[in-house]
């Protein structure tokens, strides 16, 4: 099946009209597909469709934006765009500790008992622990990015709307190479998954792209940011920072420490966004990645992403919780989940039927990201495209390449599940 690029724009524009006092015309029906998801102010009714959520809300590596994004998305989906085919989504929210795989296993069993039709991966670094349980129950895993490399290495029983983790590594290093920067030192928490990413992905990808890569590890609890910044700055690498981060606070503290030790290279801060607000003009020149458009770059976003981003921001702001990368990524994941299933005309909501519909998505303009093509035999990801943002002014970012970066497919093919 094929999706019209203007479809999501129509949803967001009509929602914006309802939420504001601006007068909007209803004459333009050129992008209408006739589904309930296009009717602004349509409240979902009937029996809820249960979806599980692996929510990293416990332990030392919490991501509060997942909760904010989920609640905001449910408000938008269930009260504005008619849910999924007219029925509301009900999220079975299960808190996980990303340092304890047993918590992910416990949540997977809870989802089986609750009879969910899909499980949303809230950026769980231990998601692989859930896959045997979900697979045996025919419950698909759905997310934005598989933070666990084992989960991302296979395509069966899972769909991810964003790119694989390797795409961010390759895209960032391609950008460095284009700027004639040939050295990179990145830090990450001293956890097994981090060693897998750095030792198994980062070093060989750097070799393929001609970039000297070094890794620095810090204790996951209570890192000394000044000492870490000094270690990163040793040898004056062309770029230094974080490829992944347990939270935005880690990014902000490290960025401030890199400034304090007079590091002059490119500061790279994973998927963080709060440092942009906190540091203001001092953040200029720093870079971060994302699978979707983020508010600091709204002026650079094309339609329909610009209108959709403004809509997402309204609903996320209404929650009053943690915003940032994880909030917008989760919001976009749930909206794309609802819209694609509505357009597919799914009426019998079972795990296999949901998975079949998502795997059939073709040329679909996602809510805040690129066009998606799912269902490849070699990867669970619907795209490899990623955004690399650079802070260009006080609380403002722009995409480094002007838009989405397509990582080198030959390099990605070296990583299981990445291409």
């Amino acid at each position: 099946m094929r999706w019209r690029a203007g479809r999501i724009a129509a949803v967001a524009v009509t929602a914006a009209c309802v939420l504001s006092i601006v007068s909007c015309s209803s004459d333009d029906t050129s992008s209408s597909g006739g589904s309930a998801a296009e009717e602004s102010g349509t409240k979902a009714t009937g029996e809820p469709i249960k979806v599980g959520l692996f929510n990293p809300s416990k332990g030392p590596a919490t991501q509060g934006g997942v909760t904010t994004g989920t609640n905001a998305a449910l408000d938008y989906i269930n009260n504005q765009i008619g849910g999924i085919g007219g029925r509301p989504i009900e999220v079975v929210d299960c808190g996980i500790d990303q340092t304890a795989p047993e918590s992910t296993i416990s949540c997977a069993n809870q989802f089986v008992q609750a009879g969910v039709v899909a499980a949303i991966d809230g950026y769980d670094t231990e998601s692989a622990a859930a896959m045997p349980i979900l697979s045996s129950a025919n419950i698909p895993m759905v997310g934005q990015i598989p933070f666990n490399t084992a989960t991302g290495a296979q395509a069966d029983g899972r769909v991810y709307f964003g790119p694989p983790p390797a795409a961010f590594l390759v895209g960032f290093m391609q950008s460095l190479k284009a700027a004639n920067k040939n050295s990179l030192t990145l830090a990450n928490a001293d956890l097994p998954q981090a060693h897998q990413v750095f030792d198994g992905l980062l070093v060989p990808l750097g070799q393929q792209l001609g970039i000297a890569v070094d890794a620095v590890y810090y204790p996951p609890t209570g890192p000394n940011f000044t000492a870490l910044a000094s270690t990163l700055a040793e040898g004056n690498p062309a770029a230094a920072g974080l490829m992944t981060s347990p939270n935005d606070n880690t990014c902000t503290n490290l960025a401030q420490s890199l400034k304090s030790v007079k590091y002059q290279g490119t500061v790279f801060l994973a998927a963080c966004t709060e440092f942009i607000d906190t540091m203001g003009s001092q953040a200029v020149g720093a870079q971060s990645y994302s699978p979707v458009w983020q508010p600091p770059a709204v002026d650079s976003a094309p339609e329909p992403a610009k209108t959709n981003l403004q809509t997402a921001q309204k609903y996320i702001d209404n929650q009053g919780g943690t915003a940032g990368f994880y909030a917008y990524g989760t919001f976009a994941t749930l909206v794309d989940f609802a819209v694609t299933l509505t357009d597919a005309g799914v009426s019998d909501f079972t795990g296999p039927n949901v998975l079949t519909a998502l795997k059939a998505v073709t040329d679909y303009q996602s809510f805040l990201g690129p066009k998606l093509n799912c269902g490849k035999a070699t990867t669970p990801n619907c795209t490899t495209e990623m955004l690399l943002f650079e802070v260009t002014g006080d609380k403002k970012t722009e995409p480094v390449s002007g838009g989405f970066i397509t990582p080198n497919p030959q390099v990605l093919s070296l990583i299981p599940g990445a291409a």
Side-chain angles (χ1 to χ4, degrees), residues 12-313:
V13 169
T14 51
C17 296
V18 168
L19 293 173
S20 69
I21 58 174
V22 177
S23 175
C24 298
S25 170
S26 61
D27 293 337
D28 185 2
T29 58
S30 60
S31 60
S32 174
S35 75
E38 292 183 28
E39 299 172 14
S40 171
T42 301
K43 188 176 178 65
T45 59
E47 183 181 1
I49 298 166
K50 289 186 179 181
V51 176
L53 172 66
F54 292 101
N55 188 348
S57 57
K58 297 180 178 179
T62 60
Q63 301 291 3
V66 172
T67 296
T68 303
T70 297
N71 293 337
L74 290 179
D75 184 10
Y76 176 62
I77 293 166
N78 290 341
N79 297 318
Q80 287 295 320
I81 64 171
I84 302 177
R87 292 171 58 183
I89 297 177
E90 177 185 325
V91 169
V92 180
D93 189 335
C94 190
I96 56 169
D97 176 353
Q98 297 195 79
T99 65
E102 57 270 21
S103 69
T104 292
I105 293 172
S106 176
C107 286
N109 285 321
Q110 180 179 328
F111 296 156
V112 173
Q113 294 175 353
V116 304
V117 301
I120 304 299
D121 181 355
Y123 307 95
D124 181 9
T125 57
E126 296 295 340
S127 60
M131 289 311 303
I133 298 168
L134 297 181
S135 296
S136 65
N138 292 316
I139 298 172
M141 181 81 87
V142 182
Q144 187 67 219
I145 307 169
F147 270 20
N148 184 282
T149 54
T151 302
Q154 300 182 41
D156 59 301
R158 65 210 80 179
V159 173
Y160 285 86
F161 295 130
F168 298 108
L169 295 167
V170 176
F172 175 54
M173 287 192 284
Q174 281 179 191
S175 177
L176 287 180
K177 193 69 175 179
N180 296 315
K181 299 179 179 181
N182 299 316
S183 57
L184 170 64
T185 303
L186 292 173
N188 209 341
D190 193 4
L191 298 170
Q193 180 68 14
H195 283 274
Q196 291 177 26
V197 172
F198 278 80
D199 301 339
L201 297 182
L202 191 64
V203 174
L205 290 177
Q207 292 172 345
Q208 288 291 322
L209 293 168
I211 296 176
V213 176
D214 286 318
V216 175
Y217 296 96
Y218 61 87
T221 58
N224 183 323
F225 289 104
T226 300
L228 180 59
S230 296
T231 302
L232 286 169
E234 287 179 5
N236 194 32
L242 296 161
M243 183 52 69
T244 61
S245 176
N247 50 51
D248 269 281
N249 189 51
T250 298
C251 286
T252 301
N253 284 330
L254 182 60
Q256 291 171 330
S257 296
L258 284 168
K259 285 286 185 182
S260 72
V261 300
K262 310 301 183 184
Y263 174 66
Q264 298 299 313
T266 299
V267 176
F268 183 70
L269 295 171
C272 294
T273 54
E274 286 184 10
F275 77 95
I276 300 169
D277 285 337
T278 302
M279 296 180 66
S281 59
Q282 287 191 330
V284 171
Q287 295 183 357
S288 62
Y289 69 72
S290 178
V292 298
W293 289 94
Q294 297 283 339
V298 65
D299 291 341
S300 299
E303 293 293 358
K306 178 177 289 187
T307 299
N308 293 339
L309 186 56
Q310 292 166 342
T311 298
Q313 187 167 11

Side-chain angles (χ1 to χ4, degrees), residues 315-391:
Y315 282 85
I316 288 172
D317 287 349
N318 285 342
Q319 292 299 317
T322 302
F325 167 86
Y326 294 97
Y328 286 88
T330 303
F331 189 100
T333 298
L334 287 168
V335 172
D336 287 333
F337 178 77
V339 172
T340 51
L341 292 180
T342 295
D343 279 0
V346 177
S347 57
D348 182 13
F349 284 92
T350 65
N353 287 349
V354 167
L355 181 62
T356 297
L358 295 179
K359 291 281 190 182
V361 168
T362 304
D363 198 28
Y364 161 66
Q365 176 55 61
S366 63
F367 190 72
L368 293 178
K371 287 188 176 182
L372 306 181
N373 291 281
C374 309
K376 298 180 179 65
T378 55
T379 176
N381 297 88
C382 300
T383 183
T384 62
E385 292 184 275
M386 52 84 70
L387 287 161
L388 180 65
F389 295 118
E390 180 170 330
V391 182

